[in-house]
Amino acid sequence: MMKEKNRCPFLKEQKVAFCKAFPLRKLLPFDRIYAEENICATRRYTQCPIYREKATREGPGKNCPFLEIETVIYCEVFPIKKMIPSSCYKLECPCTSEKYPQCPLYQKMVHGDLPVREEEAKKVWGFVLRSAYYYHRGHTWMEQRGEAVRVGLDDFGQFLVGPIKAVTLPKIGERIRKEEPFMEIICDGGNVRLLSPLSGTITAVNQEVIEDPELVNLDPYERGWFLEVTPDEPVLQAEGVFHGQEAEGWLREESARLQRALGGEIGTTMADGGDLLRDLRQEIGTAKWRSLINTFLERKEG
């Protein structure tokens, strides 16, 4: 258990269970694994097709050997419950330190303001979508902030990339061009070059994400943003940009494409809103992962 001192009161813990042998990690509340219809915690687990495929010659025990119990943490007031294993959570994160009062969401709550409304943040096949944002086909998002446009990587994109080790961003004053690579993400599988969703001049760079690139994985729509741009044309008038219901439909189609590319391994988990694996590349192999990066992010479909 985490200490109560210097910890955000909205940070909650929950025990969850998951199957270590299943291709994608789907987290279930701990108490649900003992439901009558669930065989994982009974001797009937030997009937499971995944167990039969992965099991060794050792004799059966009381519970399935692939059943894993873990403690996760999540923000109680964030509109989408995103669970993070306690073992992976950084000790210096504001949520678990005396810095938690600096959190914009915490400040809104203590001052009586409401957090982001449910209709502004939703899940599409397991991926978080901010309805107010604009999305590019290379899975970058754009948010209008006065005359500037803030740019980041969407939840689908950060899932594909996996744990991020570093980011290389252009400098303030430089120009970027739509549909051309404008930055790189460094991860265990190699470098990923993202396509710019717009043309314009860079006016701000997120120094925090350079120092702590994992923010892109943990909070892609807020603290994990990349840069701000003064665009050459209004985002609303840009071609190839998705917004609102159109963005939902596009993300649903992208998720279905991903399901087909993975041979159906991921489809059930995404469609029912299950929590996805943190490191897809490690599960499917670097070659297949690189093919997905080329298709969905770098858009090398030829």
Side-chain angles (χ1 to χ4, degrees), residues 123-140:
K123 275 194 174 183
V124 178
W125 276 42
F127 298 111
V128 178
L129 183 80
R130 285 285 180 89
S131 300
Y133 288 11
Y134 297 82
Y135 298 87
H136 177 257
R137 67 190 185 101
H139 288 279
T140 48

Side-chain angles (χ1 to χ4, degrees), residues 20 26 109 147 174 180 198 216 232 237 260 280 282:
K20 292 188 293 184
K26 182 178 179 182
M109 293 300 295
E147 296 183 356
E174 292 185 355
E180 294 184 4
L198 76 173
V216 181
D232 290 348
Q237 299 177 12
R260 293 192 295 269
L280 180 64
Q282 190 175 48

Side-chain angles (χ1 to χ4, degrees), residues 209-221:
V209 87
I210 295 176
E211 298 172 356
D212 188 4
E214 193 180 15
L215 287 173
V216 181
N217 296 122
L218 298 177
D219 193 7
Y221 293 115

Side-chain angles (χ1 to χ4, degrees), residues 31-39 42 44:
D31 54 0
R32 280 182 55 185
I33 68 169
Y34 291 100
E36 185 176 347
E37 67 275 10
N38 198 308
I39 65 174
T42 72
R44 291 185 292 125

Side-chain angles (χ1 to χ4, degrees), residues 249-263:
W250 163 74
L251 183 54
R252 194 171 290 109
E253 291 177 1
E254 288 286 271
S255 301
R257 290 179 65 205
L258 179 58
Q259 175 191 356
R260 293 192 295 269
L262 292 173

